[in-house]
Amino acid sequence: MITTMMDSPLLRMTQETPTQYWNDSCAVDELAYAVERGATGATSNPSIVLEVLKKERDHWVPRVHELAAANPTWSEVELTWAIVEEMAARGAGILQPVFEKRNGRAGRLSVQTNPANHRDPARMVEQAVRFAALAPNIQVKFPATAAGIAAIEEATSRGVNINATVSFTVPQALAAAEAVERGLDRRATAGGDVASMSPIVTIMIGRLDDWMKVLVERDDLAVHPDAPNWAGIAAFKRAYGIFRERGYRSRMLAAAYRHRLHWTELVGGDVSMTLPYPWQVRFNKSGIAPVPRMEVPVDERLVADLYERIPDFRRAYDPDGMTPAEFEAFGASARTLRTFITSYHDLQAAIRDLVLPNPDARRA
């Protein structure tokens, strides 16, 4: 049974606290479910686009064929990005009423720049400017790497609403926020509007937890079994406190959900969460009251255990734990970039299979 709006914990969270949430997909039905229950944004990336292509085959398979027929010289790369852009614009349309109601401060659809360009700021910015023109409520994702930080500043100065992704640590979040501040200041100095902009800085809390667990096994570390599940939450809460102290104009976003603490422990913060549809359904059926807990610190014993035993947690937790030059090689960053790049190539392969089917394959 689907939980109704009247008894939805996520809806109550958005009504009773400053905390917002996004749908971690641009699938139409899932996005509609989320918006009905208070969601104020949505996101996409190559793996999400591939999932939506499969879930919404009745819509997208004919559309791929239409585009291929109308543009006979297009490569599979051009067809892939045409689908990504159409999918983003379609999702942005569902969020448009939220965008208008919130005066542009929410209701955006995040679309990711080509992950294969993660070392090239100029290419990322060029694509971001194109994406920003797809709809008035588009947000553009950049990786929080040295190249991505440079791109974030430049894109922000051009009026692009950015979302720093591939971000897992306090130093990455702070570097992205500082880049946004520089970009906003440059734009304001040039006479551009900044009041209506709503930049986002993400920490992928579940992926930091994942990396801690990999290190525990890889390096034979004796860590308290609960500690890795709190790594991302601890980093997020520390960054959140620094954001408020410094008055950054970026809003923080928690991503990569793995368990319910990634929801309940962040309620009450003036932040957003990006929740996959299955987690939304689970949370809405849970009966858990959305009690504010952002100000409740993580058990210092668990933080100390991580800090003392896992050097990469120290790098993730300390504000000066890494320089931008180190961001890309950080384990969680490298793993996630590799995943996104692989998903991008898988998406191209899916488009190829539609336009140029494998003649050796058995027909369904």
Side-chain angles (χ1 to χ4, degrees), residues 139-211:
Q139 199 113 25
V140 183
K141 291 182 175 181
F142 297 83
T145 60
I149 296 297
I152 284 170
E153 177 181 344
E154 179 61 25
T156 300
S157 75
R158 298 193 193 187
V160 175
N161 287 276
I162 70 91
N163 179 353
T165 186
V166 191
S167 174
F168 317 88
T169 69
V170 176
Q172 284 178 291
L174 299 183
E178 290 285 356
V180 168
E181 292 299 312
R182 293 192 298 271
L184 291 173
D185 289 345
R186 285 172 54 191
R187 182 165 176 79
T189 299
D193 169 56
V194 298
S196 64
M197 296 180 68
S198 53
I200 295 289
V201 172
T202 296
I203 293 184
M204 305 179 85
I205 53 179
R207 287 182 179 268
L208 182 60
D209 293 1
D210 294 346
W211 180 232

Side-chain angles (χ1 to χ4, degrees), residues 1 4 27 63 84 112 114 151 174 220 244 248 275 307 321 357:
M1 176 186 241
T4 65
R63 186 59 185 141
V84 169
Q112 188 165 345
N114 187 342
L174 299 183
D220 295 324
R244 288 194 297 170
Y248 289 142
L275 305 177
Y307 197 89

Side-chain angles (χ1 to χ4, degrees), residues 45-254:
N45 60 38
S47 26
I48 287 173
V49 171
L50 183 55
E51 288 175 6
V52 175
L53 187 68
K54 295 174 181 177
K55 290 176 181 176
E56 300 177 350
R57 285 185 60 85
D58 289 347
H59 177 86
W60 291 111
V61 170
R63 186 59 185 141
V64 171
H65 290 305
E66 288 172 5
L67 284 169
N71 303 277
T73 64
W74 276 10
S75 68
E76 65 188 38
V77 174
E78 290 169 303
L79 286 168
T80 296
W81 285 107
I83 292 299
V84 169
E85 291 177 2
E86 283 199 16
M87 202 175 283
R90 193 175 187 226
I94 297 172
L95 287 164
Q96 184 69 26
V98 179
F99 181 72
E100 293 172 356
K101 181 179 179 181
R102 298 288 187 119
N103 298 314
R105 303 303 299 174
R108 295 185 181 273
L109 187 289
S110 265
V111 57
Q112 188 165 345
T113 53
N114 187 342
N117 291 339
H118 64 96
R119 300 177 64 186
D120 191 330
R123 286 187 177 180
M124 285 189 274
V125 171
E126 179 183 9
Q127 191 174 39
V129 171
R130 177 183 173 87
F131 285 166
L134 295 173
N137 56 332
I138 291 290
Q139 199 113 25
V140 183
K141 291 182 175 181
F142 297 83
T145 60
I149 296 297
I152 284 170
E153 177 181 344
E154 179 61 25
T156 300
S157 75
R158 298 193 193 187
V160 175
N161 287 276
I162 70 91
N163 179 353
T165 186
V166 191
S167 174
F168 317 88
T169 69
V170 176
Q172 284 178 291
L174 299 183
E178 290 285 356
V180 168
E181 292 299 312
R182 293 192 298 271
L184 291 173
D185 289 345
R186 285 172 54 191
R187 182 165 176 79
T189 299
D193 169 56
V194 298
S196 64
M197 296 180 68
S198 53
I200 295 289
V201 172
T202 296
I203 293 184
M204 305 179 85
I205 53 179
R207 287 182 179 268
L208 182 60
D209 293 1
D210 294 346
W211 180 232
M212 296 299 102
K213 293 171 186 177
V214 168
L215 291 175
V216 166
E217 296 304 318
R218 189 194 74 183
D219 299 339
D220 295 324
L221 302 176
V223 173
H224 190 290
D226 293 341
N229 284 326
W230 288 90
I233 296 169
F236 192 92
K237 290 193 176 192
R238 189 167 202 192
Y240 178 67
I242 297 171
F243 269 52
R244 288 194 297 170
E245 289 171 7
R246 298 183 182 178
Y248 289 142
R249 287 170 280 184
S250 297
R251 183 180 184 86
M252 289 190 66
L253 174 77

